[in-house]
Amino acid sequence: MPIDSSDDSFWDQLWSEHTASVQDVFTLLPASEIRMVREESPQNLATLCYKAVEKLVRAVDNSCRTQHEQQTVLNCCRLLTRVLPCMFEDLDWRGFFWSSLPAGQVQEGEEAESTPLAVSLINAVCDLLFCPDFTVAANKKGGPDKAEDLQAIDSCEYIWESGVGCASSPPHHPQYDANRTELLKLLLTCFSETVYQPPSETSPSPNRWIQHLTSAENRHALPLFTSLLNSVCAYDPVGMGVPYNHLLFSDSMEPLVDVALQILIVTLDHDTSGVLRESDEQPSVPDNLFINYLSRIHRDEDFQFVLKGFCRLLNNPLMQTYLPNSTKKVQFHQELLVFFWKMCDYNKKFLYYVLKGDDVLHILVPILFHLNDSRADQSRVGLMHIGVFILLLLSGYRNFGVRLNKPYTATIPMDIPVFTGTHGDLLITVFHKIISTGHQRLQPLFDCLLTILVNVSPYLKTLSMVASTKLLHLLEAFSTPWFIFSSPTKHQLVFFLLEIFNNIIQYQFDGNSNLVYTIIRKRQVFHSLASLPTDGGSINKTLSKKPRRHIPSVSTNTDSSETPEPEAPSMEGSRPAQPAEPGTLKVSLPETPGIENMTERESAHPASQANESAPAPTPANESPLLEQSVNTRQGDGMEGPGIDNSSASSSSSQAEADGSRPLRRAVNQRQSIRLTDAAVPGDNTDGSQWVPTAEWVRSWKSKLPLQNIMRLLQILVPQVEKICIDKDLTDESEILKFLQHGTLVGLLPVPHPILIRKYQTNAGTIAWLRTYMWGVIYLRNVDPPIWYDTDVKLFEVQHVQHE
C-alpha cells in the first residue's frame, strides 16, 4: 500500500544513524525486493527517491554542519546508490528523474517545482563535495553558527589536491576522503544509465546526467574536474616507502582515487561536440566542460605533473622489492590506460610532450608488461586491446620510434628470452610472444601489432639477434602456404612483415648486421615466398593436406648432422594460454574494428623534422661506408622477384652446400606459432566457404615487395660464402663483423618514402572503448557490487563457473 510522503516518522528511519555502512544497505535491500516495490508499489519507490533527494537538498541549505546531518547525507547516498540501478533497468523509470517535481515534494517554491529531480540531486552532491568539515577542511575557523553557506561558497578555494591549477596542498583527513568516495560512487551510479542501453542507443542520445554535471549549469565543474585530476595524478601508493605500511594502516586515498579515475573516464567519454538535434526547436547540447578544460591544459609543469603521475601509477604493479608483497600494488591500471588514451586524444600538446622525452618509455614498459602478462587470459582481452591501441597511437609519431633505440635494462619480471638490446628489441620480443603463445581471441590484433612494428621500423638502429630471429620466425610462420590460403586477409600479414624488413634495410642498414645475418641464414623463407604456387592444382593440393595445429619451429638446423647449440636462457612457454579464470566475471566486447578503419596512411619525412636528440634515419644507399663495385643497372629497381630469384636461388643452393656451418643460429628458439581452429580454411566469419583461387593469389603475389631483400641476398650471400671458404670460418661472430662493415651503397633502388599508418578516430573504436570502459567499471565495483545482478544491456556478462 502507498505510504504517505508526509509520514516523516516512517521515512526518517530509512536514513537514520543506525545503518553502519554501504555494504549493510546492499545486504538489507536485495535487488529482488527493490524490483518488487518497483512493480507493486511504484508510488513508494518514487516517494523514497523524492525524500532522499530532499534530505540532500536540505542538508546543503543547512551547510551540513552537524554530525547527524552528515550521517543522514551518507545514508541517503547509499540508498540511492542501491536503488538507482534497479530503476535504470526498467525503461519506464528512466525518465522519472527528469520529470518535473510534483507540488509539495520540495518546499523551495514554484521554481523548484519545475526543476527535474536529477538536476537537484547532482547539484546537491556537487555542493556537498566542497562542504567544509564534511568533505574538505574549513578555511575559515568558526563555530557551527558561522558555517559557510554552501550555495554561495567559492569551491575553487577548496580544490582537494595541489597540481594543475592549484598550488597549495590542503590537509588530508581520512574521513573526508571516505565521504568524498561515497558521494562520487553515487555520481558514478547516476552516470551508469548508459549500461542499461544497447550499444546502438548510446551514441545518438547523450547521457543527461553527465551532460548536466559537465555543463556550465554546474558551477562546480572546474574545481571538481581539477580535484579529480589532481587526486589521481598526485596519488603515491608507496608513500614514504615503509615496508608493509599498507597492511598496518588503511589507505583512505586508494578508494577515492579509484572512483575519481572512473568518474573522469566516464565524463571524458561523453563528447557532445558532434551531437546534432533533429529540429531547431530542440535546444543544442552544451559542450562538455571537462573535455574543454582537459584540452586547454598547456603548461609544461602541468604536463610534467600529469605524466609523472601516470608513470608512477602505471609502474607501481611492476615494482620489485626484496621483501615479498611489502609495497602496495594498485589495481586500476586499466582505467589509467583509458584515461591516458583520452588525455592524448583531447590534448595533442600533451601527446607531443609525452613523445618529446624518454618518459614515453615509462609508459611503454608497463603496457608491454600487461600485454605479456594478459596474453593467455581470455578474461583480459580488453586490456590487450587498449594497450595495443595506445601503442598504435604512439607509433604514428617519429619520436616514438627514435626513443625505442634507448638501451633496455630488465627491471621487471617478464617471461621472455634474455637479451641485451634496446626498447625496440623488447617491443618485438613481446609482440612475438603475444602472437606465438596468446589465445585465439587475439588474432584480430595481429594486424595492429604488425602495423606498430611497421611504423617504428625505419628508426630501429640496432636490433639484437633475439629480436631479429623473432621477426624472421613470424615471416616463416605467416608465409606458410596453408596459412596464407586459409583466409582472404592473411596475406596482409606477410606484406606488413616485408615492409618492416624493407624499412630497416633501406633506412637503418648500418648497425643492423644481426638482422641482415638472420635474413641471409633464413633466405629460403624469402625464396619460398617468391615461388609461392599460383596454379589451382598446387593451391588445392596445399589445402587438401591435413592442417597442422602448429607451424614447424624455426629452430631446425640447416645441417642435421650438426650438434645443436645450447639454448639461450629463457622462460618462454612457461605460461601457456588459458581460458578465463574460474569464478571471474567475463564481460564480452564488440569486435575490434579492422586496421583499415583505424588508421590513415601518411607520408613521413624524417629529414625535415627537427629532433635534437637523434639524427634522421640514414638510407642504405647513402651510407658513408665502403662502396661495393657492382653494376648499378642491377640495382635500378626494375627487376622483380622473379628475375632476382634465379640468381639468388643458385647462390642459395651453393650456400647450403658450402656455408651452412657458420650460418647456424645463434639463439635456438623451440616455440611455434599456434594456429587455432578459427584459422582453418573455410571457416569465415560470415559462415561462407572461403575458396582461394589462382587469380586471387596472382593479384597480390605480384605486389610482394621482395626486390630489396632479393637484391641484398644476391649481393651478400656470395660474399659471405667466399669469406667462409677463404678463412675457413666456423664462428658466426666473424660473419657478423664482416656484415657490420659492409654496405649496399648504390646497389638498392632509391629509398621508398616512409609511410606511417596513423590512428584515426572512428565510430567503431569509440563504441568499443565505451563498452570496455564500462565493463571494467562494472567488474571493479564489487564492494559494494553496485550493478551486480541487474539487467545490463551495453555488454553481456558471463558467469564463469568453477570446473
Side-chain angles (χ1 to χ4, degrees), residues 393-457:
L393 174 70
L394 296 175
S395 72
Y397 298 88
R398 174 180 178 269
N399 276 6
F400 180 70
V402 171
R403 300 296 162 202
L404 291 178
N405 290 304
K406 184 176 180 180
Y408 172 72
T409 53
T411 57
I412 57 174
M414 280 201 275
D415 55 330
I416 58 174
V418 176
F419 69 90
T420 301
T422 66
H423 285 77
D425 295 309
L426 177 67
L427 184 74
I428 292 171
T429 306
V430 171
F431 280 10
H432 177 272
K433 190 79 174 178
I434 293 169
I435 293 173
S436 61
T437 64
H439 56 78
Q440 67 178 25
R441 292 180 66 194
L442 298 182
Q443 288 196 16
L445 282 179
F446 288 2
D447 279 357
C448 283
L449 294 171
L450 295 186
T451 299
I452 294 166
L453 296 182
V454 169
N455 284 346
V456 303
S457 58

Side-chain angles (χ1 to χ4, degrees), residues 315 394 422 477 508 570 669 675:
N315 284 278
L394 296 175
T422 66
Q508 297 293 354
S570 171
Q669 304 299 342
L675 295 185

Side-chain angles (χ1 to χ4, degrees), residues 302-372:
D302 291 338
F303 287 153
Q304 183 182 13
F305 167 74
V306 173
L307 182 57
K308 188 177 179 182
F310 274 132
C311 294
R312 182 194 314 114
L313 296 174
L314 269 181
N315 284 278
N316 168 264
L318 285 56
M319 293 177 61
Q320 295 297 298
T321 57
Y322 291 107
L323 300 174
N325 304 317
S326 62
T327 58
K328 186 178 183 64
K329 304 293 178 67
V330 297
Q331 303 298 321
F332 46 73
H333 50 274
Q334 296 188 87
E335 294 96 317
L336 274 174
L337 292 178
V338 174
F339 187 32
F340 182 78
W341 174 273
K342 292 292 182 185
M343 188 85 184
C344 293
D345 189 23
Y346 290 123
N347 194 319
K348 295 304 179 188
K349 290 181 179 178
F350 174 75
L351 176 58
Y352 299 146
Y353 181 86
V354 171
L355 292 164
K356 189 169 65 174
D358 289 339
D359 283 331
V360 69
L361 300 178
H362 298 143
I363 300 287
L364 168 70
V365 172
I367 289 178
L368 292 179
F369 169 83
H370 288 302
L371 292 180
N372 184 62

